[in-house]
Amino acid sequence: MANKTKDGKYQCFYCLKIYAKPEEADKCREEHDLVYIPVSRSDANKILNYLFVPSNPEILEGVPFVKFLRRALRT
Ligand SMILES: [Zn+2]
């Protein structure tokens, strides 16, 4: 569902582009072909840390995000 802005317009959830009609914002979101991947808060912190300081890949050991990501991209 599109986000409604303070001035009565609608925003794509993903790219934040503004549209006059909610259907347009929803269509934009659908065209991004989003995948939804479950991640715990602590694992999200590990992934974020790794993205900013990728010197220690062991930080991601045991984080199921990579498995979920691969599974989401397979379909
Ligand atoms: Zn968009």
Side-chain angles (χ1 to χ4, degrees):
M1 178 179 247
N3 298 325
K4 193 168 187 178
T5 65
K6 287 179 185 171
D7 57 354
K9 294 184 177 175
Y10 297 89
Q11 190 173 41
C12 171
F13 164 79
Y14 190 68
C15 71
L16 308 181
K17 191 172 175 183
I18 302 293
Y19 293 94
K21 297 177 183 174
E23 299 82 23
E24 294 170 323
D26 287 340
K27 184 173 182 286
C28 186
R29 187 199 66 230
E30 287 166 16
E31 287 175 351
H32 291 297
D33 192 21
L34 300 178
V35 294
Y36 293 89
I37 300 166
V39 62
S40 70
R41 184 178 303 274
S42 65
D43 285 350
N45 272 316
K46 290 177 186 175
I47 293 164
L48 194 60
N49 285 338
Y50 182 73
L51 289 175
F52 283 105
V53 187
S55 61
N56 181 14
E58 288 89 34
I59 196 170
L60 297 180
E61 260 179 40
V63 173
F65 178 82
V66 175
K67 178 183 73 184
F68 287 125
L69 180 60
R70 285 191 177 125
R71 191 180 298 166
L73 295 177
R74 223 183 291 143
T75 56

Coordinates of all heavy atoms in Angstrom, one line a residue:
M1 N 0.8 -1.2 0.0 CA 0.0 0.0 0.0 C 0.9 1.2 0.0 O 1.9 1.3 0.7 CB -0.9 0.0 1.2 CG -1.8 1.2 1.3 SD -2.9 1.1 2.8 CE -4.4 0.9 2.0
A2 N 0.5 2.2 -0.8 CA 1.3 3.4 -0.9 C 1.2 4.3 0.3 O 0.2 4.3 1.1 CB 0.7 4.3 -2.1
N3 N 2.3 5.0 0.6 CA 2.3 5.9 1.7 C 1.7 7.2 1.3 O 2.1 7.8 0.2 CB 3.8 6.2 2.2 CG 4.5 4.9 2.6 OD1 3.9 4.1 3.2 ND2 5.8 4.8 2.3
K4 N 0.9 7.8 2.1 CA 0.3 9.1 1.8 C 1.2 10.2 2.4 O 1.6 10.1 3.6 CB -1.1 9.2 2.4 CG -1.9 10.4 1.9 CD -3.4 10.3 2.2 CE -4.2 11.4 1.5 NZ -5.6 11.3 1.8
T5 N 1.4 11.2 1.6 CA 2.3 12.3 2.1 C 1.4 13.4 2.8 O 0.2 13.4 2.7 CB 3.1 12.9 0.9 OG1 2.1 13.5 0.0 CG2 3.9 11.9 0.2
K6 N 2.1 14.3 3.5 CA 1.4 15.3 4.2 C 0.6 16.2 3.3 O -0.5 16.8 3.7 CB 2.4 16.2 5.0 CG 2.9 15.5 6.2 CD 3.9 16.4 6.9 CE 4.5 15.6 8.1 NZ 5.6 16.4 8.7
D7 N 1.0 16.4 2.0 CA 0.3 17.2 1.1 C -0.7 16.4 0.2 O -1.1 16.9 -0.9 CB 1.3 18.0 0.2 CG 2.3 17.2 -0.5 OD1 2.3 15.9 -0.3 OD2 3.0 17.7 -1.4
G8 N -1.1 15.2 0.6 CA -2.1 14.5 0.0 C -1.7 13.7 -1.3 O -2.6 13.3 -2.0
K9 N -0.4 13.6 -1.5 CA 0.0 12.8 -2.6 C 0.5 11.4 -2.1 O 0.3 11.1 -0.9 CB 1.2 13.5 -3.3 CG 0.7 14.8 -3.9 CD 1.8 15.4 -4.7 CE 1.2 16.7 -5.4 NZ 2.1 17.5 -6.1
Y10 N 1.0 10.6 -3.0 CA 1.3 9.2 -2.6 C 2.7 8.9 -3.0 O 3.2 9.3 -4.1 CB 0.3 8.2 -3.3 CG -1.1 8.5 -2.8 CD1 -1.9 9.4 -3.4 CD2 -1.6 7.8 -1.6 CE1 -3.2 9.7 -2.9 CE2 -2.8 8.1 -1.1 CZ -3.6 9.0 -1.8 OH -4.9 9.3 -1.3
Q11 N 3.4 8.1 -2.2 CA 4.8 7.8 -2.4 C 5.0 6.3 -2.5 O 4.5 5.5 -1.7 CB 5.5 8.4 -1.1 CG 7.0 8.4 -1.2 CD 7.6 9.1 0.0 OE1 7.2 8.9 1.1 NE2 8.6 9.9 -0.3
C12 N 5.9 6.0 -3.4 CA 6.3 4.6 -3.6 C 7.1 4.2 -2.3 O 8.0 4.9 -1.9 CB 7.2 4.4 -4.8 SG 8.0 2.8 -4.9
F13 N 6.7 3.1 -1.7 CA 7.4 2.6 -0.5 C 8.9 2.4 -0.7 O 9.7 2.7 0.2 CB 6.7 1.3 -0.1 CG 7.5 0.5 0.9 CD1 7.5 0.8 2.3 CD2 8.3 -0.6 0.5 CE1 8.2 0.1 3.2 CE2 9.0 -1.4 1.4 CZ 9.0 -1.0 2.7
Y14 N 9.3 2.0 -1.9 CA 10.6 1.6 -2.1 C 11.6 2.7 -2.6 O 12.6 3.0 -2.0 CB 10.7 0.5 -3.1 CG 12.0 -0.2 -3.2 CD1 12.6 -0.9 -2.2 CD2 12.8 -0.1 -4.4 CE1 13.8 -1.5 -2.3 CE2 14.0 -0.6 -4.5 CZ 14.5 -1.3 -3.5 OH 15.8 -1.9 -3.6
C15 N 11.2 3.4 -3.6 CA 12.0 4.5 -4.2 C 11.7 5.9 -3.8 O 12.4 6.8 -4.1 CB 12.1 4.4 -5.7 SG 10.5 4.9 -6.5
L16 N 10.5 6.0 -3.1 CA 10.1 7.3 -2.5 C 9.6 8.3 -3.6 O 9.4 9.5 -3.3 CB 11.1 7.9 -1.6 CG 11.7 7.0 -0.5 CD1 12.7 7.8 0.3 CD2 10.6 6.4 0.4
K17 N 9.4 7.8 -4.8 CA 8.9 8.7 -5.9 C 7.5 9.1 -5.5 O 6.7 8.3 -5.0 CB 9.0 8.0 -7.2 CG 8.8 8.9 -8.4 CD 9.1 8.1 -9.7 CE 8.7 9.0 -10.9 NZ 8.9 8.3 -12.2
I18 N 7.1 10.3 -5.9 CA 5.8 10.9 -5.5 C 4.8 10.7 -6.7 O 5.2 11.0 -7.8 CB 5.9 12.4 -5.1 CG1 6.9 12.5 -3.9 CG2 4.5 13.0 -4.8 CD1 6.4 12.0 -2.6
Y19 N 3.6 10.3 -6.4 CA 2.6 10.2 -7.4 C 1.3 10.9 -6.9 O 1.1 11.0 -5.7 CB 2.3 8.7 -7.7 CG 3.4 8.0 -8.3 CD1 4.4 7.3 -7.5 CD2 3.6 8.0 -9.7 CE1 5.4 6.7 -8.1 CE2 4.6 7.4 -10.3 CZ 5.6 6.7 -9.5 OH 6.6 6.1 -10.1
A20 N 0.4 11.2 -7.9 CA -0.9 11.9 -7.5 C -1.9 10.8 -7.0 O -2.7 11.1 -6.2 CB -1.4 12.6 -8.8
K21 N -1.8 9.6 -7.6 CA -2.8 8.6 -7.3 C -2.1 7.4 -6.6 O -1.0 7.0 -6.9 CB -3.5 8.0 -8.5 CG -4.3 9.1 -9.3 CD -4.9 8.5 -10.6 CE -5.6 9.6 -11.3 NZ -6.1 9.1 -12.6
P22 N -2.8 6.8 -5.6 CA -2.2 5.7 -4.9 C -2.0 4.5 -5.8 O -1.0 3.7 -5.6 CB -3.3 5.3 -3.8 CG -4.6 5.9 -4.3 CD -4.2 7.1 -5.1
E23 N -2.8 4.3 -6.8 CA -2.6 3.1 -7.7 C -1.2 3.3 -8.4 O -0.6 2.3 -8.7 CB -3.7 3.1 -8.8 CG -5.1 2.9 -8.2 CD -5.7 4.2 -7.7 OE1 -5.4 5.2 -8.2 OE2 -6.6 4.1 -6.9
E24 N -0.8 4.5 -8.8 CA 0.4 4.8 -9.4 C 1.6 4.4 -8.5 O 2.6 3.8 -9.0 CB 0.5 6.2 -9.9 CG -0.5 6.6 -10.9 CD -0.5 8.1 -11.2 OE1 -0.4 8.9 -10.2 OE2 -0.7 8.5 -12.3
A25 N 1.5 4.8 -7.3 CA 2.6 4.5 -6.3 C 2.7 3.0 -6.1 O 3.8 2.4 -6.0 CB 2.3 5.2 -5.0
D26 N 1.5 2.3 -6.0 CA 1.5 0.9 -5.8 C 2.1 0.2 -7.0 O 2.8 -0.8 -6.9 CB 0.1 0.3 -5.6 CG -0.5 0.7 -4.2 OD1 0.4 1.0 -3.3 OD2 -1.7 0.7 -4.0
K27 N 1.8 0.7 -8.2 CA 2.3 0.1 -9.5 C 3.9 0.2 -9.5 O 4.6 -0.7 -9.9 CB 1.7 0.8 -10.7 CG 2.1 0.2 -12.0 CD 1.3 0.8 -13.1 CE 1.6 0.2 -14.5 NZ 2.9 0.7 -15.0
C28 N 4.3 1.4 -9.1 CA 5.8 1.6 -9.0 C 6.4 0.6 -8.1 O 7.4 0.0 -8.4 CB 6.0 3.1 -8.5 SG 7.8 3.5 -8.6
R29 N 5.9 0.4 -6.9 CA 6.4 -0.5 -5.9 C 6.4 -1.9 -6.5 O 7.4 -2.7 -6.4 CB 5.6 -0.5 -4.6 CG 6.2 -1.4 -3.5 CD 5.2 -1.7 -2.5 NE 4.2 -2.6 -3.0 CZ 2.8 -2.4 -2.9 NH1 2.4 -1.4 -2.2 NH2 2.0 -3.3 -3.4
E30 N 5.3 -2.3 -7.2 CA 5.3 -3.7 -7.8 C 6.3 -3.9 -8.9 O 6.9 -5.0 -9.0 CB 3.9 -3.9 -8.3 CG 2.9 -4.2 -7.3 CD 1.4 -4.1 -7.8 OE1 1.2 -4.2 -9.0 OE2 0.5 -3.9 -6.9
E31 N 6.6 -2.8 -9.6 CA 7.6 -2.9 -10.7 C 9.1 -3.1 -10.2 O 10.0 -3.4 -10.9 CB 7.5 -1.7 -11.6 CG 6.3 -1.8 -12.5 CD 6.0 -0.6 -13.3 OE1 6.7 0.4 -13.2 OE2 5.1 -0.6 -14.2
H32 N 9.3 -2.8 -8.9 CA 10.6 -3.0 -8.3 C 10.9 -4.5 -8.1 O 12.1 -4.8 -7.8 CB 10.8 -2.2 -7.0 CG 10.8 -0.7 -7.2 ND1 11.8 -0.1 -7.9 CD2 10.0 0.2 -6.8 CE1 11.5 1.2 -7.9 NE2 10.4 1.4 -7.2
D33 N 9.9 -5.3 -8.2 CA 10.0 -6.8 -8.0 C 10.7 -7.0 -6.6 O 11.8 -7.7 -6.6 CB 10.8 -7.4 -9.1 CG 10.8 -8.9 -9.1 OD1 9.8 -9.5 -8.5 OD2 11.7 -9.5 -9.7
L34 N 10.2 -6.5 -5.6 CA 10.8 -6.6 -4.2 C 10.8 -8.0 -3.7 O 9.8 -8.8 -4.0 CB 10.1 -5.7 -3.2 CG 10.0 -4.2 -3.6 CD1 9.2 -3.4 -2.6 CD2 11.4 -3.7 -3.7
V35 N 11.8 -8.4 -2.9 CA 11.8 -9.6 -2.2 C 11.8 -9.3 -0.7 O 12.4 -8.3 -0.3 CB 13.0 -10.5 -2.6 CG1 12.9 -11.0 -4.0 CG2 14.3 -9.8 -2.3
Y36 N 11.1 -10.1 0.1 CA 11.0 -9.8 1.5 C 11.8 -10.9 2.2 O 11.5 -12.1 2.0 CB 9.6 -9.7 2.0 CG 8.9 -8.5 1.4 CD1 8.3 -8.5 0.2 CD2 9.0 -7.3 2.1 CE1 7.7 -7.4 -0.4 CE2 8.4 -6.1 1.5 CZ 7.8 -6.2 0.3 OH 7.2 -5.1 -0.2
I37 N 12.7 -10.6 3.0 CA 13.6 -11.5 3.7 C 13.6 -11.3 5.2 O 13.8 -10.2 5.6 CB 15.0 -11.4 3.1 CG1 15.0 -11.6 1.6 CG2 16.0 -12.3 3.8 CD1 16.3 -11.1 0.9
P38 N 13.2 -12.4 5.9 CA 13.2 -12.2 7.4 C 14.6 -12.1 7.9 O 15.5 -12.8 7.5 CB 12.6 -13.5 7.9 CG 12.8 -14.5 6.8 CD 12.9 -13.7 5.5
V39 N 14.8 -11.2 8.9 CA 16.1 -11.0 9.5 C 15.8 -10.5 11.0 O 15.0 -9.6 11.2 CB 17.0 -10.0 8.7 CG1 16.4 -8.6 8.6 CG2 18.4 -10.0 9.3
S40 N 16.6 -11.1 11.9 CA 16.4 -10.6 13.3 C 17.1 -9.3 13.4 O 18.0 -8.9 12.7 CB 17.0 -11.7 14.2 OG 18.4 -11.7 14.1
R41 N 16.8 -8.6 14.5 CA 17.4 -7.3 14.7 C 18.9 -7.4 14.9 O 19.7 -6.6 14.4 CB 16.8 -6.6 16.0 CG 17.3 -5.2 16.3 CD 16.6 -4.6 17.5 NE 15.1 -4.6 17.3 CZ 14.5 -3.7 16.7 NH1 15.1 -2.6 16.2 NH2 13.2 -3.7 16.6
S42 N 19.3 -8.4 15.7 CA 20.8 -8.6 15.9 C 21.5 -9.0 14.6 O 22.6 -8.5 14.4 CB 21.0 -9.6 17.0 OG 20.6 -10.9 16.6
D43 N 20.9 -9.8 13.8 CA 21.5 -10.2 12.5 C 21.6 -9.0 11.6 O 22.5 -8.8 10.9 CB 20.8 -11.3 11.9 CG 21.1 -12.7 12.5 OD1 22.0 -12.7 13.4 OD2 20.4 -13.7 12.2
A44 N 20.5 -8.1 11.6 CA 20.5 -6.9 10.8 C 21.7 -6.0 11.2 O 22.3 -5.4 10.3 CB 19.2 -6.2 10.9
N45 N 21.9 -5.9 12.5 CA 23.1 -5.1 13.0 C 24.4 -5.7 12.4 O 25.3 -5.0 12.0 CB 23.1 -5.1 14.5 CG 22.3 -3.9 15.0 OD1 22.3 -2.8 14.5 ND2 21.5 -4.2 16.0
K46 N 24.5 -7.0 12.5 CA 25.7 -7.7 11.9 C 25.9 -7.4 10.5 O 27.0 -7.1 10.0 CB 25.7 -9.2 12.2 CG 25.8 -9.6 13.6 CD 25.6 -11.1 13.7 CE 25.6 -11.6 15.1 NZ 25.3 -13.0 15.2
I47 N 24.8 -7.5 9.7 CA 24.9 -7.2 8.3 C 25.3 -5.8 8.0 O 26.1 -5.5 7.2 CB 23.6 -7.6 7.6 CG1 23.3 -9.1 7.7 CG2 23.5 -7.1 6.1 CD1 21.9 -9.5 7.4
L48 N 24.7 -4.9 8.7 CA 25.0 -3.5 8.6 C 26.4 -3.2 8.9 O 27.1 -2.5 8.2 CB 24.0 -2.6 9.5 CG 24.0 -1.1 9.2 CD1 23.6 -0.8 7.7 CD2 23.1 -0.4 10.2
N49 N 26.9 -3.8 10.0 CA 28.3 -3.6 10.4 C 29.2 -4.1 9.3 O 30.2 -3.5 8.9 CB 28.6 -4.3 11.7 CG 28.1 -3.6 12.9 OD1 27.8 -2.4 12.8 ND2 27.9 -4.3 14.0
Y50 N 28.9 -5.3 8.7 CA 29.7 -5.9 7.7 C 29.7 -5.0 6.4 O 30.7 -4.9 5.7 CB 29.2 -7.3 7.3 CG 30.1 -7.9 6.3 CD1 31.4 -8.4 6.6 CD2 29.7 -8.1 5.0 CE1 32.2 -8.9 5.6 CE2 30.5 -8.6 4.0 CZ 31.8 -9.0 4.3 OH 32.6 -9.6 3.4
L51 N 28.5 -4.4 6.1 CA 28.5 -3.6 4.9 C 29.4 -2.4 5.0 O 30.0 -1.9 4.0 CB 27.0 -3.1 4.6 CG 26.1 -4.2 4.1 CD1 24.7 -3.7 4.0 CD2 26.5 -4.7 2.8
F52 N 29.5 -1.8 6.2 CA 30.3 -0.6 6.4 C 31.8 -1.0 6.7 O 32.7 -0.2 6.3 CB 29.8 0.2 7.5 CG 28.6 1.0 7.1 CD1 27.3 0.7 7.5 CD2 28.7 2.1 6.3 CE1 26.2 1.4 7.1 CE2 27.6 2.8 5.8 CZ 26.4 2.5 6.3
V53 N 32.0 -2.2 7.3 CA 33.4 -2.6 7.5 C 33.5 -4.0 7.1 O 33.5 -4.9 8.0 CB 33.8 -2.4 9.0 CG1 35.2 -2.7 9.3 CG2 33.4 -1.0 9.5
P54 N 33.7 -4.3 5.8 CA 33.7 -5.7 5.3 C 35.0 -6.4 5.5 O 35.3 -7.4 4.8 CB 33.4 -5.5 3.8 CG 34.0 -4.1 3.5 CD 33.8 -3.3 4.7
S55 N 35.7 -6.1 6.5 CA 37.0 -6.8 6.8 C 36.9 -8.1 7.5 O 37.8 -8.9 7.6 CB 37.9 -5.8 7.5 OG 37.4 -5.5 8.8
N56 N 35.7 -8.3 8.1 CA 35.6 -9.5 9.0 C 34.3 -10.3 8.6 O 33.3 -10.2 9.2 CB 35.5 -9.1 10.4 CG 35.4 -10.3 11.3 OD1 35.6 -11.4 10.9 ND2 35.0 -10.0 12.6
P57 N 34.4 -11.2 7.5 CA 33.3 -12.0 7.1 C 32.8 -13.0 8.1 O 31.6 -13.4 8.1 CB 33.8 -12.7 5.8 CG 35.2 -12.6 5.9 CD 35.6 -11.5 6.7
E58 N 33.6 -13.3 9.1 CA 33.1 -14.3 10.2 C 31.9 -13.7 11.0 O 31.2 -14.4 11.6 CB 34.3 -14.6 11.1 CG 35.3 -15.5 10.6 CD 36.4 -14.7 9.9 OE1 36.7 -13.6 10.4 OE2 37.0 -15.2 8.9
I59 N 31.8 -12.4 10.9 CA 30.7 -11.8 11.7 C 29.3 -12.3 11.2 O 28.3 -12.3 11.9 CB 30.8 -10.2 11.6 CG1 29.9 -9.6 12.7 CG2 30.4 -9.7 10.3 CD1 30.1 -8.1 12.9
L60 N 29.3 -12.7 9.9 CA 28.0 -13.2 9.3 C 27.8 -14.7 9.5 O 26.8 -15.3 9.0 CB 28.0 -12.8 7.8 CG 28.0 -11.3 7.5 CD1 28.0 -11.1 6.0 CD2 26.9 -10.6 8.2
E61 N 28.8 -15.4 10.1 CA 28.6 -16.8 10.3 C 27.4 -17.1 11.2 O 27.1 -16.5 12.2 CB 29.8 -17.4 11.1 CG 30.8 -18.1 10.2 CD 32.0 -18.6 10.9 OE1 31.9 -19.1 12.0 OE2 33.1 -18.4 10.4
G62 N 26.6 -18.1 10.7 CA 25.3 -18.5 11.4 C 24.2 -17.5 11.2 O 23.1 -17.7 11.7
V63 N 24.3 -16.5 10.4 CA 23.2 -15.5 10.1 C 22.4 -16.1 8.9 O 22.9 -16.3 7.8 CB 23.8 -14.2 9.7 CG1 22.7 -13.2 9.2 CG2 24.5 -13.5 10.9
P64 N 21.1 -16.5 9.2 CA 20.3 -17.1 8.1 C 19.9 -16.2 7.0 O 19.4 -16.7 6.0 CB 19.1 -17.6 8.9 CG 19.1 -17.0 10.2 CD 20.4 -16.4 10.4
F65 N 20.2 -14.9 7.1 CA 19.9 -14.0 6.0 C 20.3 -14.4 4.6 O 19.6 -14.3 3.7 CB 20.4 -12.6 6.4 CG 20.1 -11.6 5.3 CD1 18.9 -10.9 5.3 CD2 21.1 -11.2 4.4 CE1 18.6 -9.9 4.4 CE2 20.8 -10.2 3.4 CZ 19.6 -9.6 3.5
V66 N 21.6 -14.9 4.6 CA 22.2 -15.3 3.3 C 21.4 -16.4 2.7 O 21.0 -16.4 1.5 CB 23.7 -15.6 3.4 CG1 24.2 -16.1 2.1 CG2 24.4 -14.4 3.8
K67 N 21.0 -17.4 3.5 CA 20.2 -18.5 3.0 C 18.8 -18.0 2.5 O 18.4 -18.4 1.4 CB 20.0 -19.5 4.2 CG 19.1 -20.7 3.8 CD 18.9 -21.6 5.0 CE 17.9 -20.9 6.0 NZ 17.7 -21.7 7.2
F68 N 18.2 -17.1 3.3 CA 16.9 -16.6 2.9 C 17.0 -15.8 1.6 O 16.2 -15.8 0.7 CB 16.3 -15.7 4.0 CG 15.7 -16.5 5.1 CD1 16.2 -16.2 6.4 CD2 14.8 -17.5 4.9 CE1 15.7 -17.0 7.5 CE2 14.3 -18.3 6.0 CZ 14.7 -18.0 7.3
L69 N 18.1 -15.0 1.5 CA 18.3 -14.2 0.3 C 18.5 -15.1 -1.0 O 17.9 -14.8 -2.0 CB 19.6 -13.4 0.5 CG 20.0 -12.4 -0.7 CD1 18.9 -11.4 -1.0 CD2 21.3 -11.7 -0.3
R70 N 19.3 -16.2 -0.8 CA 19.4 -17.1 -2.0 C 18.1 -17.7 -2.4 O 17.8 -17.8 -3.5 CB 20.5 -18.2 -1.6 CG 21.9 -17.7 -1.6 CD 22.8 -18.8 -1.5 NE 24.2 -18.4 -1.6 CZ 25.2 -18.6 -0.8 NH1 24.9 -19.4 0.3 NH2 26.4 -18.1 -0.9
R71 N 17.3 -18.1 -1.3 CA 16.1 -18.8 -1.6 C 15.1 -17.8 -2.3 O 14.4 -18.1 -3.2 CB 15.4 -19.2 -0.3 CG 14.2 -20.1 -0.4 CD 13.7 -20.6 0.9 NE 14.6 -21.3 1.7 CZ 14.5 -21.6 3.0 NH1 13.4 -21.1 3.6 NH2 15.4 -22.3 3.6
A72 N 15.1 -16.5 -1.9 CA 14.2 -15.5 -2.4 C 14.6 -15.2 -3.9 O 13.7 -15.0 -4.7 CB 14.3 -14.2 -1.6
L73 N 15.8 -15.3 -4.2 CA 16.3 -15.0 -5.6 C 16.1 -16.1 -6.5 O 16.1 -16.0 -7.8 CB 17.7 -14.5 -5.6 CG 18.0 -13.2 -4.8 CD1 19.5 -12.9 -4.8 CD2 17.2 -12.1 -5.4
R74 N 15.9 -17.3 -6.0 CA 15.7 -18.5 -6.8 C 14.4 -18.5 -7.5 O 14.2 -19.0 -8.5 CB 15.9 -19.8 -5.9 CG 16.7 -20.9 -6.6 CD 16.8 -22.1 -5.7 NE 17.6 -21.9 -4.5 CZ 17.3 -22.4 -3.3 NH1 16.2 -23.2 -3.2 NH2 18.1 -22.2 -2.3
T75 N 13.4 -18.0 -6.8 CA 12.0 -18.0 -7.3 C 11.7 -16.9 -8.3 O 12.3 -15.9 -8.3 CB 11.0 -17.9 -6.2 OG1 11.2 -16.7 -5.4 CG2 11.1 -19.1 -5.3
Ligands
ZN1 ZN 9.2 3.0 -6.8

